[in-house]
Amino acid sequence: MKSESLHLEIRGHDLHRMVMHPDEGVQVKAVMICYHGQGDYAERYKDVLHVFTQRGICCVMTEFLGHGYSSGKRGHCGDEKLLDVVIKNTLDEYVMPEGLPYGVMGHSMGGLLAMRHIVLSGMGELPSLSFSWLSSPLINPTNGRTRAFVKMVQILAKFMPSVTISTKVKPADFHKDSDVAVAAPPKDQPWHSQVSLGWGALLISFAEFVEQNIEAVKGDLPILITQGLGDTVCPPENTRQLVAVIPSERKQ
C-alpha cells in the first residue's frame, strides 16, 4: 500500500486527506470512500484498509473539520453542506475521471454517515454504489441520553453550534471485559473526545433521515456489517435492529 497525505481547501477550510493506493503493479479496480469515527483520524485505519488496497481498491479518507490534521475547533465538523461538498470533491477527484465503481465504508459515527450515503445513493442523490461496509455503526447517536438532554442539545445548537462538550468516550468502552486494561491513545496522535452541539444535533437528524428512508436502499447492494460485541457506544442491539430493516438481499 502506498499512502498519500494531502491538504485541500474546501469552503475556506484546510482539510487533511489520506489516500491509500494499491501497490505498483496492482490494477486499480475500484474506489472506497471512507468515513472515520468521532474524534478519530485517518492514519489509524491504515492497518485495516491495506487488505482492500491489496485487492486493487483505492481507499480515500478525508478527516472531518476539527479532526486529525484538518483545521478547525476539535469536535466541530461544520455543517451538512460542508460534508456534501467533501463527498462531491472525492467523487470528482477519484471516481468520475476513470469511471470506476465505488463503495463506502464507515466506522462508528462514520458508519452512520456511510449509511446516509447508501440511502442518498438509493434515492438517486448520489451515484450508485457497488459495495459497502458498516463497522459498529452509530445508529442511535442519543444512546444513553435522556430525552430532556437531547432536546436541550437541539435547542442550544441553533444558537451556539460550535460549542463543544465531551463525549465521555474512553477506549475501555469498546472492550467486552471490563477488567481488562485498555491502553489510551498515544498522546502524540490527534485523537480527541469532543463533539460540538451543532454536529451532535446534525448526527441526530442523520439518524432520523436514515430511519425514515431506509427503504431507498437498493435490494442488490452488497452490504457487510461488522460489530464489536463489547461496544457500549454503538451497542450490538442497535446494529441488529438496523440489519433487520435494511432491504438489501445481499446484506451479511
Side-chain angles (χ1 to χ4, degrees):
M1 176 177 69
K2 298 181 297 181
S3 177
E4 181 182 14
S5 181
L6 304 170
H7 279 270
L8 55 153
E9 184 178 326
I10 295 183
R11 291 185 66 197
H13 302 293
D14 175 31
L15 301 183
H16 176 246
R17 171 176 289 167
M18 179 167 288
V19 185
M20 289 150 273
H21 300 277
D23 287 331
E24 187 173 349
V26 178
Q27 180 184 358
V28 178
K29 301 176 182 177
V31 175
M32 184 160 70
I33 298 176
C34 306
Y35 295 98
H36 63 70
Q38 180 69 27
D40 219 339
Y41 56 99
E43 190 175 4
R44 202 173 71 86
Y45 290 76
K46 291 172 67 175
D47 288 342
V48 176
L49 298 178
H50 75 278
V51 296
F52 291 91
T53 61
Q54 289 172 350
R55 290 160 175 78
I57 299 176
C58 176
C59 301
V60 184
M61 179 176 285
T62 305
E63 289 172 340
F64 295 115
L65 187 67
H67 284 71
Y69 297 103
S70 289
S71 63
K73 185 177 183 179
R74 299 296 89 178
H76 182 48
C77 302
D79 53 27
E80 188 172 3
K81 289 183 179 179
L82 178 59
L83 171 62
D84 288 338
V85 170
V86 171
I87 294 171
K88 184 179 185 304
N89 175 270
T90 308
L91 290 167
D92 289 345
E93 291 288 329
Y94 298 95
V95 178
M96 300 309 181
E98 303 297 331
L100 291 168
Y102 87 105
V104 292
M105 77 79 59
H107 172 64
S108 191
M109 176 192 75
L112 172 58
L113 300 182
M115 194 65 229
R116 171 183 179 266
H117 194 127
I118 291 170
V119 171
L120 288 171
S121 174
M123 297 171 68
E125 299 294 326
L126 289 172
S128 295
L129 289 160
S130 296
F131 59 94
S132 57
W133 173 27
L134 308 176
S135 167
S136 296
L138 182 66
I139 299 307
N140 181 12
T142 66
N143 183 54
R145 301 289 190 174
T146 65
R147 289 185 178 181
F149 178 86
V150 173
K151 190 64 177 178
M152 179 186 69
V153 167
Q154 292 173 319
I155 292 173
L156 292 177
K158 297 178 181 179
F159 302 100
M160 38 188 179
S162 64
V163 170
T164 60
I165 58 176
S166 173
T167 61
K168 298 184 179 179
V169 173
K170 303 178 293 296
D173 294 330
F174 305 99
H175 202 287
K176 185 164 60 174
D177 300 315
S178 59
D179 58 340
V180 175
V182 182
K187 291 185 178 181
D188 62 343
Q189 295 297 321
W191 184 89
H192 67 78
S193 59
Q194 296 296 306
V195 63
S196 71
L197 298 177
W199 185 248
L202 198 54
L203 290 177
I204 294 171
S205 71
F206 287 162
E208 292 172 349
F209 170 79
V210 168
E211 182 180 4
Q212 294 166 4
N213 297 279
I214 194 70
E215 289 302 320
V217 177
K218 293 186 176 180
D220 60 349
L221 175 65
I223 304 178
L224 173 65
I225 305 101
T226 56
Q227 174 67 42
L229 296 181
D231 193 334
T232 59
V233 177
C234 305
E237 52 267 29
N238 289 352
T239 302
R240 292 191 183 101
Q241 291 172 11
L242 173 68
V243 174
V245 297
I246 291 177
S248 174
E249 297 177 357
R250 302 183 67 186
K251 59 188 175 184
Q252 179 176 344

